[in-house]
Amino acid sequence: MTKPEEIQAELEAYIDPVKREYLPKFFKTGRGEYGEGDRFLGVVVPNVRLVARHKDEPAEVAAALLRSPWHECRLCALLMLVERFRKSDETGRKAIFDFYLTQTARINNWDLVDLSAPYIVGEYLKDKPRDVLRRLAADPLLWNQRIAVVATMPLIKNGDFTDILTLVPHFFHTPHDLMRKACGWMLREVGKKDKAVLVRFLEEHCQVMPRTMLRYAIEKFADDERRRFMQRR
């Protein structure tokens, strides 16, 4: 078993001083911002993946890394869990899914959510009841809300739009731009699979949708279609 501090040392071998300066600004870690207090070693995602790859570590190692103040250590833990989930049987997948949901307070930035929630939560729920998505969406924690929305990606790719079309209206009045973008992103994915479904949803809701959400949802539309919906908004 690789110790958490050994994994951190591997990550530190990839530190880029320029990225160490840039990433805290990019991920909004200033006072009052969504990533307030997060700390970055300065390691880019492809290099975090290099460290995470082939590390089949038990949950206690992932848990220790998720407690780290360093963003890249938490990301590495999540990428390790994604890879372990992919290789696991149904029993192992349930254990990882359950563990993941106990750790959401540490999955506390949009990239951590987006690189893990679809591949653990979404994949696990493909053939199961989805009540947990409603619970996460109703939680006051921003990251639980984003997990609920982004986790629908595998469902959407399967042509199952029920959950995302049910969840999105709950965020029409969200104060968080991260949620407006996430909802718009998932709606855009619906449109890639079945444009008619997305158009029907927009015809019903576009006048009350946040502008950012609508703009993301119609990004792939023709210019005249985008103008029509934006003018109605």
Side-chain angles (χ1 to χ4, degrees), residues 111-196:
D111 64 318
L112 303 181
V113 172
D114 296 0
L115 292 172
S116 61
Y119 311 105
I120 295 177
V121 179
E123 286 292 333
Y124 183 75
L125 293 176
K126 274 183 176 179
D127 58 352
K128 297 176 180 66
R130 319 277 173 66
D131 294 348
V132 65
L133 296 180
R134 254 92 38 212
R135 178 174 62 78
L136 289 167
D139 194 280
L141 183 66
L142 170 61
W143 309 116
N144 279 344
Q145 295 173 17
R146 191 169 175 104
I147 287 169
V149 169
V150 175
T152 63
M153 174 72 85
L155 312 179
I156 293 168
K157 288 184 175 179
N158 269 4
D160 184 348
F161 311 132
T162 302
D163 294 285
I164 191 60
L165 297 182
T166 301
L167 289 174
V168 165
H170 293 288
F171 296 104
F172 284 166
H173 302 291
T174 179
H176 300 295
D177 202 44
L178 284 176
M179 289 307 302
R180 299 185 196 113
K181 291 177 180 179
C183 290
W185 172 26
M186 292 302 104
L187 289 174
R188 186 177 68 218
E189 294 301 314
V190 170
K192 289 180 183 179
K193 292 292 293 185
D194 192 328
K195 185 177 178 180

Side-chain angles (χ1 to χ4, degrees), residues 62-79:
L65 288 170
L66 283 167
R67 290 193 294 271
S68 172
W70 297 111
H71 186 100
E72 293 92 339
C73 287
R74 301 197 303 281
L75 176 57
C76 189
L78 294 167
L79 294 176

